[in-house]
């Protein structure tokens, strides 16, 4: 029997409960963490916009980047309209739901009758009593579904999904994606050899191969310097990549290159994303109920977006709030799941449900405090006896 996932109430709905007043009821640790990184929140003509300082932008995975890219942004309707231009700042509609708390705070302030014209001329774009002071904001508030008070109703607020064996058959990865990357790696490297993107891919592969040679990893061969000639460099890279694919290595350098090769396949309609038939319906239901859904996979974030953006059910990315890959950490290390819980903006890790088919990942997520379900699908690896986790055969069992 699966656990219940309670729908989140809308900002308007929970504002109809007991009135929220004062700084201590409005500003939380989440706002301190997220607004500090983003810059400020403004309310303009009924829309809520984050104004991010140019030197401080947070990616969906929680990694600080120099700037946000369009593909990493999302406007959570109906809160955001087209963001206004503002001198000295870069206005962005944001993708990852770890930015949802500033929007909720702005909505609360607005609904409580604080004039939108009061927003501005402060480091946070908040009225003076809510402004940023040093590295802290005063007060705290328990975010989440409210039941007529500030005390949260215990529930799952976020769902983090694995891909292979959870949303997507393992055979799609092993029998379609991997062979496509293996068969096209030489063609891809040759046709894009001088591009900035491929130069970066090769740099990462060189560094990985150097480490592999030191550790005696089977199949590793030295990569010559560029002056040895294009053909020799490509030959050595192909040899290493093929060995990595055969060994199903979960390493960033391989996953990044594979994602770029798959992109071409999806663009040319040679590939189409595959998900189980219960997945689209579940994503739609969770989205409608306000449950935030993320993907965490060893495949690159670009590869994840390609799979969910090009399925036979259409583009499913509209139901997803963000994507995590191995840049946030190894999937079998508990620290990775703790980092994710910090990024998605929950009060406690236990408000995050992680669904995976891999026992070791389930153990790591549980150690980080997340709730866990193991996906049992056709073709998945058998689980240890007495593993101690709840299992599901379909997302329809998550109610």
């Amino acid at each position: 029997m699966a656990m219940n996932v309670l729908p989140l109430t809308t900002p308007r709905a929970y504002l109809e409960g007991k009135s929220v007043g004062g700084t201590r009821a409005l500003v939380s640790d989440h706002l301190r963490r997220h607004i500090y990184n983003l810059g400020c929140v403004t309310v303009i003509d009924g829309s809520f916009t984050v104004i991010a300082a140019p030197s401080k932008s947070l990616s969906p995975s929680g990694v600080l980047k120099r700037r946000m890219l369009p593909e990493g942004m999302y406007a959570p309707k109906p809160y955001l309209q087209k963001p206004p231009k503002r001198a000295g700042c870069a206005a962005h509609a944001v993708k990852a739901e770890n930015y949802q708390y500033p929007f909720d705070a702005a909505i609360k302030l607005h609904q409580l009758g604080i004039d939108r014209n009061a927003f501005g001329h402060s480091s946070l774009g908040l009225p003076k009593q809510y402004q940023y002071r040093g590295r802290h904001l005063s007060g705290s508030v328990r975010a989440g579904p409210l039941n007529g008070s500030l005390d949260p109703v215990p529930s799952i607020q976020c769902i983090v999904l694995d891909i292979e064996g959870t949303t997507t058959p393992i055979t799609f990865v092993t029998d379609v994606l991997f062979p496509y990357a293996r068969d096209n790696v030489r063609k891809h490297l040759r046709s894009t050899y001088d591009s900035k993107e491929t130069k970066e891919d090769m740099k990462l592969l060189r560094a990985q191969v150097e480490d592999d040679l030191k550790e005696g990893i089977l199949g590793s061969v030295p990569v010559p310097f560029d002056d040895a000639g294009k053909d020799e460099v490509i030959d050595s890279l192909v040899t290493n990549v093929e060995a990595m694919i055969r060994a199903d290595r979960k390493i960033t350098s391989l996953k990044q290159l594979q994602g770029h090769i798959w992109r071409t396949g999806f663009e040319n309609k040679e590939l189409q994303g595959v998900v189980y038939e219960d997945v689209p319906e579940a994503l739609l239901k969770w989205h409608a109920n306000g449950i935030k859904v993320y993907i965490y996979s060893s495949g690159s974030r670009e590869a994840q977006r390609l799979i969910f953006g090009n399925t036979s059910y259409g583009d499913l990315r509209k139901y997803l709030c963000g994507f995590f890959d191995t840049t946030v950490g190894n999937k079998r290390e508990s620290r990775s799941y703790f980092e994710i819980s910090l990024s998605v903006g929950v009060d406690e890790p236990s408000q995050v449900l992680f669904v995976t088919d891999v026992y070791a990942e389930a153990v790591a997520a549980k150690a980080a405090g997340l709730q866990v379900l193991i996906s049992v699908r056709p073709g998945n690896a058998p689980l240890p006896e007495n593993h101690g986790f709840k299992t599901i055969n379909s997302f329809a069992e998550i109610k």
Side-chain angles (χ1 to χ4, degrees):
M1 178 179 177
M3 63 192 70
N4 288 334
V5 178
L6 300 179
L8 289 174
T9 54
T10 64
R12 180 176 295 276
Y14 65 68
L15 284 168
E16 291 174 354
K18 184 178 179 181
S19 277
V20 183
T23 305
R24 293 186 180 279
L26 288 169
V27 186
S28 70
D29 289 338
H30 296 290
L31 294 178
R32 172 179 57 78
R33 184 166 64 243
H34 297 310
I35 294 179
Y36 174 73
N37 282 292
L38 286 169
C40 58
V41 177
T42 61
V43 179
I44 300 175
D45 296 331
S47 64
F48 301 88
T49 302
V50 168
I51 306 297
S55 62
K56 281 181 174 285
S57 294
L58 210 62
S59 73
S61 62
V63 179
L64 198 64
K65 290 191 172 184
R66 292 182 180 177
R67 63 188 182 90
M68 292 184 182
L69 300 176
E71 59 267 25
M73 304 175 199
Y74 173 69
K77 298 178 181 180
Y79 304 150
L80 285 179
Q81 309 294 329
K82 183 178 181 180
K85 294 182 179 179
R86 183 165 171 173
C89 291
H92 295 293
V94 235
K95 177 160 190 149
E97 278 284 359
N98 52 323
Y99 305 121
Q100 190 65 47
Y101 284 96
F103 298 130
D104 286 345
I107 291 168
K108 288 179 184 179
L109 293 173
H110 187 64
Q111 294 287 342
L112 287 170
I114 297 176
D115 187 357
R116 66 180 176 86
N117 293 321
F119 286 67
H121 308 296
S122 71
S123 61
L124 285 177
L126 293 173
K128 185 175 181 180
Q129 64 266 39
Y130 304 111
Q131 284 182 25
Y132 164 86
R133 292 179 173 81
R135 290 186 62 86
H136 298 278
L137 290 171
S138 62
S140 63
V141 63
R142 303 290 267 174
L146 305 180
N147 186 20
S149 70
L150 292 178
D151 296 323
V153 177
S155 67
I156 297 298
Q157 296 190 17
C158 298
I159 298 177
V160 178
L161 302 172
D162 177 40
I163 294 181
E164 188 177 352
T166 302
T167 67
T168 300
I170 290 177
T171 52
F172 174 68
V173 178
T174 59
D175 298 348
V176 178
L177 291 184
F178 283 179
Y180 186 90
R182 181 196 63 219
D183 296 344
N184 287 276
V185 60
R186 184 182 299 275
K187 178 182 177 182
H188 174 81
L189 291 175
R190 183 173 294 279
S191 62
T192 64
Y193 188 82
D194 294 319
S195 70
K196 182 179 179 180
E197 181 177 84
T198 296
K199 290 295 185 185
E200 179 63 26
D201 289 346
M202 292 192 296
K203 180 180 178 180
L204 286 176
L205 285 168
R206 283 180 186 275
Q208 183 64 56
V209 170
E210 288 178 6
D211 290 342
D212 291 349
L213 289 170
K214 291 177 183 178
E215 297 178 14
I217 300 297
L218 185 66
S220 304
V221 299
V223 180
F225 292 108
D226 290 343
D227 56 11
K230 177 178 177 179
D231 289 340
E232 288 194 31
V233 172
I234 290 177
D235 285 345
S236 62
L237 288 172
V238 170
T239 299
N240 282 289
V241 169
E242 289 178 343
M244 292 173 179
I245 293 175
R246 283 196 301 271
D248 192 16
R249 301 279 299 279
K250 310 295 186 182
I251 48 179
T252 301
S253 57
L254 172 64
K255 298 304 180 181
Q256 180 170 300
L257 176 64
Q258 285 177 318
H260 294 153
I261 296 172
W262 292 331
R263 180 178 61 202
T264 300
F266 281 104
E267 289 175 350
N268 294 339
K269 306 300 181 184
E270 297 171 345
L271 293 172
Q272 183 177 55
V274 175
V275 296
Y276 293 110
E277 63 180 3
D278 56 274
V279 171
E281 183 177 352
L283 293 179
L284 174 62
K285 179 185 71 174
W286 296 333
H287 180 76
N289 288 337
I291 303 298
K292 299 175 287 184
V293 183
Y294 299 82
I295 301 298
Y296 180 29
S297 172
S298 57
S300 68
R301 288 191 296 156
E302 178 169 18
Q304 296 172 33
R305 289 194 292 266
L306 289 169
I307 292 173
F308 289 97
N310 299 274
T311 76
S312 58
Y313 299 94
D315 188 346
L316 300 179
R317 292 174 298 176
K318 58 191 173 186
Y319 304 125
L320 302 173
C321 299
F323 302 85
F324 295 95
D325 59 15
T326 52
T327 57
V328 80
N330 189 292
K331 293 190 70 182
R332 301 190 178 205
E333 296 177 359
S334 61
R335 179 67 186 178
S336 305
Y337 299 91
F338 180 70
E339 290 293 336
I340 289 175
S341 72
L342 291 178
S343 295
V344 299
V346 293
D347 290 321
E348 302 293 342
S350 60
Q351 293 173 318
V352 180
L353 169 64
F354 178 56
V355 187
T356 181
D357 67 308
V358 179
Y359 172 71
E361 294 176 5
V363 171
K366 182 178 180 181
L370 279 67
Q371 298 193 50
V372 180
L373 291 174
I374 292 185
S375 171
V376 178
R377 304 278 196 175
N380 286 8
L383 296 170
E385 291 186 12
N386 303 317
H387 53 76
F389 289 96
K390 294 180 180 179
T391 63
I392 57 169
N393 302 109
S394 166
F395 285 178
E397 298 174 42
I398 305 176
K399 300 186 184 296

